[in-house]
Amino acid sequence: YHPHGHNTVAEQAYRGLAGVFIVKSKTDPYAKFAQQNWLFSDLKLQANGKIADNSFNDWMNGREGQFLLMNGVLKPTVNITKPTRIRIWNACSAKYLNLALDNAKIYIIATDGGFLENPQEIQKLLLTPGERAEVLIIPTLTSTVALKSLAYDRGKMGMVPADTDMTLATIHLQKSAEITLPNNVRTLPIYDKPAIKRLIEYTEVMNHNQMLFLINGKMHDMHRNDVTLQAGEVEEWVIFNNSHMDHNFHIHGTQFLIVEHDVQGKKSQPTIHGFKDTVNIRPYEKVTIRFIQDEKGLRMYHCHILAHETLGMMGQLMAK
């Protein structure tokens, strides 16, 4: 959670106004496992130790600090001595985390909107700003390894250095015995295709030496409702990133199911099927989602690269 004041989100968040909360299930199939919480944030400092203001490149590409912290600590040491459930938050303003860990089996068990139907083994996990996940880590070898964020090219503009692999923490692993994983954890709904399909198009425009980040050709306006929909009914939106840079899409008030990815005509199904409220959209990609806004009222949808949201890449919907 973080403030959402008009034109102030980016600065207030990078200066520290953000936090997390956990919603626990009364019938938790993973309650028997040891638990850890990993909150990732980054910090951009001047030479004197003070928090730096955004540069032009920060506004254009999104702010990435030179220090990437885990639970507020730079490169901590963490012990995983048994199968352990990890809750992970990407609370960075713009940094994409492409997480990888050797000498362990890793299963994703939950996304932004809660548990998956079954655990799913993964080799790495890409989390964009605002995304969350839960994983189960089962050490396969007693060893000391680096938790890394592997390089990810999100198409930054201008003369900026290429992304590199980063070590986020040192992990001491203790080999675990084989375990039985929960299965048939939940059944996700099937949303029938609605009569109306809406297009949400991201674009970037240079205007008088200022980058503008637009949705359907418009900057965010607090006094304009961009979409009016019926509460309780299925909506299908196609989010089209009509730009050369990765953006993500975040919606308030609900979670969605991803129906399809389409990159310049090459279509695919999501590799992880679960409820989401934040999803990455690659350059010129279309992501089709379906959701229901159950509650009536006004809420927002936007890119969760906070500089881009602040510079206009946000819309408002009214559920009636």
Side-chain angles (χ1 to χ4, degrees), residues 78-134:
V78 176
N79 297 318
I80 299 180
T81 60
K82 61 186 75 172
T84 301
R85 171 185 179 177
I86 313 287
R87 298 184 183 91
I88 306 173
W89 295 263
N90 182 350
C92 300
S93 293
K95 176 68 177 176
Y96 279 41
L97 300 176
N98 194 18
L99 302 174
L101 183 70
D102 291 333
N103 297 345
K105 285 190 174 181
I106 302 173
Y107 296 87
I108 184 167
I109 62 173
T111 47
D112 309 326
F115 293 131
L116 305 183
E117 293 182 319
N118 291 291
Q120 181 176 331
E121 189 171 0
I122 57 174
Q123 303 304 314
K124 56 185 178 180
L125 178 64
L126 179 68
L127 288 182
T128 67
E131 277 192 278
R132 293 90 64 206
E134 292 190 41

Side-chain angles (χ1 to χ4, degrees), residues 255-311:
Q255 279 93 25
F256 50 78
L257 294 173
I258 300 171
V259 176
E260 182 181 79
H261 296 270
D262 181 345
V263 181
Q264 299 183 9
K266 185 178 180 180
K267 299 180 180 181
S268 62
Q269 303 300 307
T271 55
I272 297 170
H273 182 55
F275 270 121
K276 301 281 297 165
D277 57 43
T278 309
V279 61
N280 190 48
I281 315 173
R282 293 165 289 177
Y284 309 108
E285 180 180 18
K286 295 177 181 176
V287 176
T288 301
I289 63 173
R290 292 182 189 157
F291 62 87
I292 296 173
Q293 288 278 0
D294 285 316
E295 302 295 332
K296 295 181 179 180
L298 180 69
R299 46 200 68 102
M300 295 168 286
Y301 52 91
H302 56 85
C303 177
H304 215 289
I305 296 173
L306 296 182
H308 297 169
E309 169 197 327
T310 299
L311 292 178

